[in-house]
Amino acid sequence: MMHPLDPPTLDELQRAVKVVGTSGRIGERPHVCLAALEEPPKEMVLAWRPEEPAPPRRLKVVTVDRASSLTYESVVNLDDDTIETCQSLTGIHAPVLLDEFNDCQNLPRDPAVAAALARRGVTNPDTVYVEPWPAAWFEGLPYDQSHRRLARAVFYVFEEKGDQPWSRPVHGLVAVVDRSTGEVVELIDDAPVPVPPVSTRIDPDSLGPLRTDVKPLEIIQREGPSFTLEGNELRWQRWSMRISMHPMEGLVFHQISYDDPVAGRVRPILYRAAMAEMVVPYGDPQGQHFWRHVFDQGEVGMGRAANPLKLGCDCLGEIVYLDAPIIGMDGQPGILEHAVCIHEEDNNVLWRHRDTLRNVTESRRDRRLVVSFWATLGNYDYGFFWYFHQDGNIELEVKLSGIVLTGATEPGAPASPYGTKVTDDMEAPHHQHFFNIRLDLDIDGPVNRIEEVDASPEPPGPDNPWGNAFRPRVTVLEKESEAKRRADPTASRCWRIVNPEVLNAMGRPVAYQLITGPAPVLFAQPDSAVGRRAEFAYNHVHVTAYDPTETRASGEYPTQHPGGAGLPAFQAADRNLVDTDVVVWVTCGVTHVARPEDYPVMPVERTGFMLRAHGFFDANPALDVPPLSVVNGEDSCCH
Ligand code: CO
């Protein structure tokens, strides 16, 4: 039995690709980029019951005609394998294709590129690895005004498999390339610097003696994990949700609900949660780096770049994996095995108190459900870890690892103001990583409002005779023009998603609280290329009125887009946000001034946010978590 939100099966992907591919409507040299479910309307999904027939299954298939560089969007009805709509889109570009990447590997044989490489002592084209980056978009550069599919390609020396190309950058050489024809539109060749001579490897044999005092740590759940995964429906500890992999958004959650025994009903919290964009702007003005600000989601795709996960490497314990039918970077439908890892973790203490009159401690262990995946985008690896807690809280932790981007310097030269020396002959430019997550919150139903809450001192006066008084102050975000907000840790600022129609036992409207982590905002100037294209990164919280077609913070096709799409366009409507269906967009991220310790591979860095029940329950909802002595059937000191 299919659920209306089930992601496409392999058979559905294959059928949709066949229908579109044989239609003769998508150009001379079509290449499949992606296909994803066209989700049925929310009200239809909420009204649907399992005994009823599922709504029509529709997939959107995005293709690129490599002859014309045009992008086509087709909607296929899988009930009768017909094309409902098919249109070529002008002024936008689809995400990157593996064929384009492969074609770019021929660049070292281009005479001008070969000559530039030779000036740097690189004469064997077989030892050059080419990395074609999405080209961004610059108003002042003439080729960016054209409708070509462009890449800005950079070069590395790479002699054998296992070598990390990022350890041997060819500096001062960038080829602007037409992805469709392979033509070098412009070759930027400045500041030739010697190519660093040493290839770095990060396998155990290459890293030298390993420490010998790490004893095995095994996680055993004799009776198996406490969750169930049936199809795409995951249930654990009163939580239920649907999980799937989207080619662009990566891991998508639908219908996250909590079965509340006190209220006696299943209570909706989130209708849909997924990343809506990410961007990595570099802060170094030199020619090698200034243009780098890839939108890894919209220009590449988090599901397309997702990894097959391995026990003991990516997740530890009793693991259940979700396999994901997906169209890979090569345009072929297939199954990405072990795309999502699901497991439980002990997370130390959930709640505790020691009764010092009796010398007795009541303590409960915190168990959390972890739903995660990893994606690799060029030199970086990103892990997305969603945590569900027994006290009703939901958390996202983004983990950043991989290899920092490098440029070569003269050996012994001092670092520039815009980078950190990570070896004697390499510098890692400063950059930022921003992640925007779209949260279609439905706290006890779709009618919600958003309050911004700042704690602040009471002014001196009759209300504050002792000078100690402070209190939270609430501002309702009434319209979209008011709903571009920054965190303020000095005011303990948070936001509440409130349902005014449902009251808790204290007579207050039920709510969840959004707590953002310490996160920077975009440093690039607002009229810079990245400033226009990634406006979402200037604020931590945006709120929009619900519209199912508004899913990406920088628009659906950021590739070579001049900017203004996504959140700025959505919020320009200045819709009402009070007591209606609202969507919250959270930006988190880090400013990465690289450290020597980040090289040759970076220890995990973290960012994220939390959704915390705030008057959603009438009391601590985790009072019914049993002590370990009950779970294990053994004596225990903790109650
Ligand atoms: Co970084």
Side-chain angles (χ1 to χ4, degrees):
M1 165 91 61
M2 276 200 116
H3 186 277
L5 294 172
D6 277 346
T9 64
L10 180 60
D11 172 64
E12 287 179 327
L13 288 175
Q14 288 166 336
R15 279 160 51 206
V17 164
K18 190 174 169 199
V19 168
V20 171
T22 55
S23 69
R25 294 166 68 176
I26 54 170
E28 272 175 55
R29 262 210 305 154
H31 185 108
V32 177
C33 184
L34 62 108
L37 181 71
E38 284 276 274
E39 293 180 16
K42 186 172 178 175
E43 46 304 345
M44 189 185 280
V45 173
L46 293 177
W48 180 80
R49 294 289 170 267
E51 58 276 13
E52 295 170 8
R57 296 280 291 172
R58 292 191 177 87
L59 294 196
K60 179 158 84 180
V61 183
V62 176
T63 55
V64 177
D65 174 20
R66 297 204 64 202
S68 65
S69 291
L70 280 174
T71 294
Y72 289 79
E73 265 187 5
S74 308
V75 174
V76 177
N77 186 325
L78 287 167
D79 291 351
D80 54 8
D81 285 4
T82 54
I83 294 183
E84 288 189 354
T85 60
C86 173
Q87 53 177 336
S88 71
L89 307 179
T90 50
I92 63 95
H93 289 288
V96 300
L97 309 173
L98 184 63
D99 275 8
E100 295 171 337
F101 171 89
N102 290 336
D103 290 353
C104 281
Q105 301 309 312
N106 294 320
L107 279 172
R109 290 174 178 79
D110 174 276
V113 175
L117 288 168
R119 272 198 293 285
R120 291 160 173 85
V122 181
T123 51
N124 180 358
D126 293 333
T127 63
V128 179
Y129 169 74
V130 183
E131 196 171 51
W133 281 52
W137 189 90
F138 294 88
E139 194 166 27
L141 299 178
Y143 38 81
D144 279 342
Q145 310 296 330
S146 73
H147 296 295
R148 295 174 167 204
R149 281 176 70 78
L150 296 175
R152 282 180 161 80
V154 290
F155 303 87
Y156 296 90
V157 174
F158 174 76
E159 280 168 356
E160 43 183 294
K161 283 191 175 165
D163 291 353
Q164 295 304 318
W166 293 279
S167 59
R168 302 193 66 192
V170 175
H171 199 81
L173 185 63
V174 180
V176 182
V177 189
D178 184 316
R179 289 178 182 271
S180 297
T181 63
E183 182 195 345
V184 177
V185 177
E186 187 182 3
L187 190 63
I188 297 152
D189 179 4
D190 54 37
V193 171
V195 177
V198 180
S199 285
T200 301
R201 301 171 70 96
I202 56 170
D203 54 292
D205 290 342
S206 306
L207 290 175
L210 304 176
R211 54 184 82 179
T212 54
D213 55 353
V214 182
K215 301 276 197 287
L217 190 158
E218 292 173 6
I219 297 165
I220 297 161
Q221 292 184 281
R222 278 184 216 96
E223 298 175 29
S226 319
F227 59 81
T228 59
L229 180 69
E230 280 180 41
N232 292 80
E233 186 180 37
L234 179 60
R235 289 176 176 275
W236 177 80
Q237 296 284 294
R238 311 200 188 288
W239 288 103
S240 61
M241 63 200 77
R242 307 193 67 81
I243 57 172
S244 56
M245 276 299 256
H246 186 282
M248 305 310 292
E249 296 165 81
L251 179 57
V252 178
F253 293 88
H254 282 102
Q255 296 191 299
I256 299 175
S257 310
Y258 193 90
D259 189 354
D260 182 353
V262 176
R265 63 179 194 280
V266 174
R267 305 177 65 185
I269 294 170
L270 274 151
Y271 181 75
R272 193 181 196 279
M275 194 160 80
E277 194 48 271
M278 62 167 287
V279 66
V280 186
Y282 282 77
D284 186 330
Q286 65 177 305
Q288 182 81 10
H289 300 307
F290 75 86
W291 46 271
R292 295 183 200 260
H293 57 261
V294 64
F295 292 81
D296 286 307
Q297 175 165 324
E299 296 183 315
V300 184
M302 304 314 288
R304 296 171 87 212
N307 300 170
L309 302 175
K310 271 196 177 157
L311 182 64
C313 307
D314 304 301
C315 12
L316 188 60
E318 290 287 330
I319 308 297
V320 172
Y321 295 100
L322 181 76
D323 296 339
I326 199 161
I327 292 176
M329 299 291 283
D330 59 1
Q332 302 299 319
I335 302 279
L336 175 63
E337 287 183 351
H338 295 189
V340 180
C341 168
I342 307 156
H343 73 290
E344 289 176 292
E345 273 177 7
D346 177 88
N347 190 40
N348 217 284
V349 172
L350 172 63
W351 57 259
R352 178 187 197 279
H353 179 62
R354 182 161 179 83
D355 181 342
T356 52
L357 299 177
R358 292 190 299 144
N359 289 337
V360 172
T361 303
E362 285 292 346
S363 171
R364 301 293 182 269
R365 297 296 298 181
D366 186 16
R367 181 91 61 98
R368 65 184 181 186
L369 176 71
V370 189
V371 186
S372 65
F373 80 104
W374 280 94
T376 302
L377 295 120
N379 50 312
Y380 264 107
D381 296 66
Y382 296 103
F384 298 87
F385 285 67
W386 290 82
Y387 302 124
F388 295 85
H389 294 266
Q390 288 165 312
D391 60 0
N393 295 349
I394 303 172
E395 207 176 342
L396 171 65
E397 184 174 67
V398 184
K399 303 189 186 200
L400 299 82
S401 191
I403 299 176
V404 289
L405 185 93
T406 49
T409 63
E410 293 287 351
S416 91
Y418 308 107
T420 303
K421 294 279 285 214
V422 292
T423 64
D424 187 46
D425 50 14
M426 277 196 299
E427 188 171 284
H430 309 323
H431 57 277
Q432 299 182 291
H433 301 256
F434 292 103
F435 308 87
N436 186 276
I437 294 87
R438 179 184 182 273
L439 302 171
D440 177 7
L441 287 140
D442 283 5
I443 301 298
D444 258 338
V447 175
N448 290 172
R449 60 165 70 183
I450 309 293
E451 297 174 347
E452 183 171 286
V453 186
D454 282 3
S456 61
E458 206 71 84
D463 289 340
N464 191 10
W466 305 104
N468 65 310
F470 72 91
R471 63 188 174 96
R473 288 180 166 77
V474 173
T475 309
V476 175
L477 302 180
E478 294 191 349
K479 298 163 77 176
E480 289 177 322
S481 57
E482 300 163 11
K484 309 164 203 262
R485 308 300 303 162
R486 285 188 177 182
D488 182 359
T490 65
S492 300
R493 178 173 292 170
C494 66
W495 293 267
R496 285 185 203 148
I497 304 91
V498 176
N499 186 329
E501 296 179 345
V502 182
L503 305 182
N504 62 25
M506 277 59 70
R508 300 293 306 155
V510 297
Y512 258 72
Q513 191 180 36
L514 168 65
I515 300 168
T516 54
V521 294
L522 179 60
F523 291 142
Q525 300 298 321
D527 61 352
S528 66
V530 62
R532 293 180 196 187
R533 287 157 49 81
E535 209 179 298
F536 70 85
Y538 287 114
N539 290 293
H540 299 117
V541 172
H542 296 79
V543 188
T544 58
Y546 173 73
D547 179 335
T549 65
E550 297 175 352
T551 55
R552 309 286 174 76
S554 280
E556 193 163 355
Y557 296 102
T559 303
Q560 291 169 248
H561 196 283
L567 277 170
F570 307 154
Q571 289 192 313
D574 203 16
R575 292 165 290 193
N576 166 54
L577 300 177
V578 182
D579 302 348
T580 183
D581 197 352
V582 290
V583 176
V584 178
W585 310 65
V586 184
T587 307
C588 56
V590 297
T591 296
H592 193 183
V593 173
R595 310 169 298 157
E597 290 86 346
D598 291 335
Y599 195 80
V601 63
M602 181 181 151
V604 163
E605 187 162 6
R606 295 169 170 83
T607 181
F609 67 88
M610 182 184 253
L611 288 166
R612 192 162 73 158
H614 192 283
F616 185 78
F617 301 105
D618 294 338
N620 180 347
L623 298 176
D624 59 350
V625 172
L628 268 193
S629 56
V630 173
V631 177
N632 290 352
E634 296 160 6
D635 258 2
S636 140
C637 60
C638 59
H639 91 121

